[in-house]
Amino acid sequence: MLFSVSPAASFRRSALNAGRCLASRRGLLTLAIETSCDDTSVAIVEKTKKDSGSTAKIHFLENVMADTRAHRGIHPIIALESHQANLAKLLQKALNYLPGSKTGDGLKLADGTCRRLPDFISATRGPGMRSNLSVGLDTGKALSVAWQIPMVGVHHMQAHLLTPRLVSCLENELKADPSAPPEFPFLSILASGGHTTLVHSEGLAEHRILANSDDIAIGEALDKSARDILPDSLLQEAKSTMYGKNLEQFVFPNGKADFADYSPPETRGEEIAKRISDWGWYLTTPFANTRHMQFSFASISSTVGRIIQSNGTNIKISNAERVDLGRETMRVCFEHLASRTVIALETLRPHNNGKNDINTLVVSGGVAANQFLMKVLTSFLEVRGFGHIKIVAPPPYLCTDNAAMIGWAGIEMFEAGFRSDLSCRPLRTWTLDSQADDGGILGPGGWIKL
């Protein structure tokens, strides 16, 4: 028999269910999907309110990265085929990790167990590769219809900057510095292979972009540099195309001990001074003669390529020189990030009667897992008069693209009363900036506000 449920009735019911979830101790449960680039990821995330505050639990999280090593970079078609091949399998596996249903109502699995249905679906809507996004978003819509539950189309970059708020609530998470979640307003550096953005966040959907990369992202610059710097043997052994991670391991084999003596430039003059290496080459600091709020990394990776070519064949370069070049590449990239962050903090201060209401700097995205980056940022802010600002970053497994962050962003938007209409489509470009022409996170059509 055919039947239909009107959208209005369905969302009235979802609002009542959400209210009951939040009023009770049951909490909110979401199944999340991420397919924006080359990582296929599924997660089950739950948030529960307790007297001591909110707690979060990741019941399931698994990623499958497309193998594009033969192309030494992301290949759109191979990434799409990887989503198509792996998403359904990950979902099938994830169902076994849904919490059990105490009432006997819910999803009956093949093994005879009854599982609690998610309260809603979270799926990445953008930005990203449109065809790849469609795989996850359309699958999320199908589950929403089949299970008669709402869906939230999540902004990928919003999810990255909210990840530390998830981490602060995680149960059984080993935290070096357990603390309350970052409160608005805060600054965020979103640094990955596809994005380099400095964001001023004043609310869940109220963000202002202070600086963007005008060419390539910092992650792409590090990956390109690594392909030139790393010995061929290490490139062949790499398990993914995230060569920047391999570069960090190559030039800092002892981790923090290798950059313990790093000294940040105390003045702008020291920052832009030319540093000629013992090998005769140097890397120019981007935008050295301007305080323009913009990032630029293409010149760094192209200079690295010219240095390698000037040495003749790659084989002739000693490992010692490779290590020095790799360290200098990271230093210049990371100090460029830190420099623009300091300029932003100095710019914001006069607008608040000489005080700075920013107490937290969130660093997220794949590059946030780099420990030397954290050393540079911490040291840089300290000597420039912003040592009071706390720098927070997710653990490495939550820095790269993953569905747990999509689930958490979905939960925060769901709690704020936002749902996505089933007509919503994937967005290749979708700015965070609420003052932009497209209206930021809430600008595109397809939102339903309860």
Side-chain angles (χ1 to χ4, degrees):
M1 176 183 292
L2 296 176
F3 68 94
S4 64
V5 178
S6 72
S10 175
F11 282 103
R12 278 198 298 272
R13 185 178 67 187
S14 79
L16 290 172
N17 288 340
R20 295 190 188 103
C21 291
L22 295 173
S24 71
R25 296 301 175 89
R26 189 171 77 116
L28 279 173
L29 184 71
T30 185
L31 185 149
I33 299 171
E34 153 64 13
T35 60
S36 64
C37 189
D38 59 344
D39 279 295
T40 310
S41 184
V42 173
I44 296 171
V45 183
E46 183 175 16
K47 180 182 181 182
T48 305
K49 290 190 175 181
K50 298 182 178 180
D51 293 336
S52 58
S54 297
T55 62
K57 185 174 183 179
I58 300 175
H59 294 279
F60 176 84
L61 172 61
E62 194 163 314
N63 293 25
V64 176
M65 178 180 282
D67 187 356
T68 58
R69 288 175 293 175
H71 301 275
R72 294 199 170 183
I74 296 171
H75 192 287
I77 295 177
I78 294 177
L80 173 61
E81 292 173 345
S82 179
H83 294 315
Q84 294 169 332
N86 291 298
L87 180 56
K89 293 180 180 179
L90 286 181
L91 287 168
Q92 181 69 51
K93 186 175 181 180
L95 297 183
N96 295 292
Y97 291 83
L98 286 167
S101 172
K102 296 180 180 179
T103 64
D105 297 325
L107 183 65
K108 301 291 195 303
L109 299 186
D111 61 4
T113 60
C114 186
R115 304 287 177 167
R116 177 183 156 196
L117 271 178
D119 297 299
F120 66 100
I121 300 295
S122 302
T124 307
R125 185 183 179 188
M129 300 177 185
R130 186 175 285 129
S131 57
N132 296 15
L133 289 165
S134 294
V135 176
L137 191 65
D138 289 346
T139 300
K141 290 181 184 181
L143 292 173
S144 173
V145 172
W147 292 342
Q148 288 294 284
I149 59 176
M151 187 188 77
V152 176
V154 174
H155 192 295
H156 180 88
M157 302 313 294
Q158 179 197 31
H160 270 304
L161 66 85
L162 293 177
T163 303
R165 290 166 63 88
L166 162 64
V167 174
S168 68
C169 295
L170 281 178
E171 294 179 331
N172 303 320
E173 183 75 24
L174 295 177
K175 305 186 186 76
D177 183 20
S179 59
E183 297 293 337
F184 300 107
F186 56 79
L187 286 189
S188 296
I189 296 175
L190 304 178
S192 68
H195 302 273
T196 310
T197 308
L198 180 63
V199 186
H200 182 208
S201 298
E202 298 185 271
L204 180 61
E206 299 170 24
H207 309 278
R208 183 160 60 94
I209 294 177
L210 303 180
N212 254 328
S213 176
D214 66 350
D215 39 54
I216 65 175
I218 186 172
E220 183 178 349
L222 291 173
D223 287 342
K224 285 184 174 180
S225 298
R227 288 199 294 268
D228 287 323
I229 296 170
L230 290 173
D232 286 338
S233 58
L234 291 183
L235 287 174
Q236 297 299 326
E237 294 173 3
K239 296 181 179 180
S240 72
T241 57
M242 297 171 63
Y243 299 115
K245 181 178 180 180
N246 299 99
L247 181 63
E248 180 188 10
Q249 295 169 345
F250 174 65
V251 302
F252 296 122
N254 301 311
K256 295 180 180 180
D258 283 335
F259 49 78
D261 59 349
Y262 167 76
S263 296
E266 296 186 11
T267 66
R268 178 71 173 154
E270 291 182 18
E271 178 188 331
I272 64 177
K274 184 185 297 185
R275 301 190 187 185
I276 301 177
S277 71
D278 294 338
W279 310 95
W281 45 254
Y282 63 90
L283 300 180
T284 301
T285 302
F287 295 137
N289 299 315
T290 177
R291 290 170 59 89
H292 182 54
M293 287 301 293
Q294 199 82 22
F295 296 118
S296 177
F297 299 97
S299 63
I300 299 174
S301 57
S302 61
T303 300
V304 169
R306 287 196 297 270
I307 291 171
I308 295 296
Q309 290 173 3
S310 67
N311 279 268
T313 63
N314 185 273
I315 300 174
K316 293 181 180 179
I317 303 173
S318 68
N319 274 3
E321 185 174 0
R322 294 176 194 273
V323 167
D324 284 351
L325 183 54
R327 291 184 178 185
E328 184 67 358
T329 299
M330 288 188 183
R331 182 193 67 79
V332 174
C333 284
F334 298 159
E335 287 189 356
H336 183 40
L337 278 182
S339 172
R340 264 45 199 175
T341 303
V342 166
I343 293 173
L345 289 168
E346 291 172 345
T347 303
L348 290 171
R349 186 159 49 193
H351 295 286
N352 194 29
N353 297 321
K355 298 180 180 180
N356 203 313
D357 60 352
I358 304 297
N359 296 307
T360 304
L361 173 63
V362 168
V363 188
S364 195
V367 183
N370 190 300
Q371 291 301 303
F372 185 47
L373 168 61
M374 305 309 292
K375 172 68 174 180
V376 170
L377 287 173
T378 303
S379 304
F380 210 104
L381 292 183
E382 180 70 34
V383 301
R384 296 298 181 92
F386 295 99
H388 66 283
I389 292 180
K390 183 178 180 180
I391 300 176
V392 296
Y397 78 99
L398 291 176
C399 284
T400 54
D401 293 350
N402 65 89
M405 71 177 193
I406 301 301
W408 180 261
I411 286 174
E412 293 219 36
M413 292 296 286
F414 191 87
E415 285 181 320
F418 292 98
R419 316 287 186 269
S420 292
D421 189 89
L422 294 178
S423 66
C424 72
R425 293 179 293 177
L427 300 170
R428 184 180 65 83
T429 58
W430 186 9
T431 183
L432 270 172
D433 200 323
S434 53
Q435 299 179 18
D437 291 340
D438 70 358
I441 292 172
L442 300 178
W447 285 113
I448 298 172
K449 181 69 167 70
L450 299 180

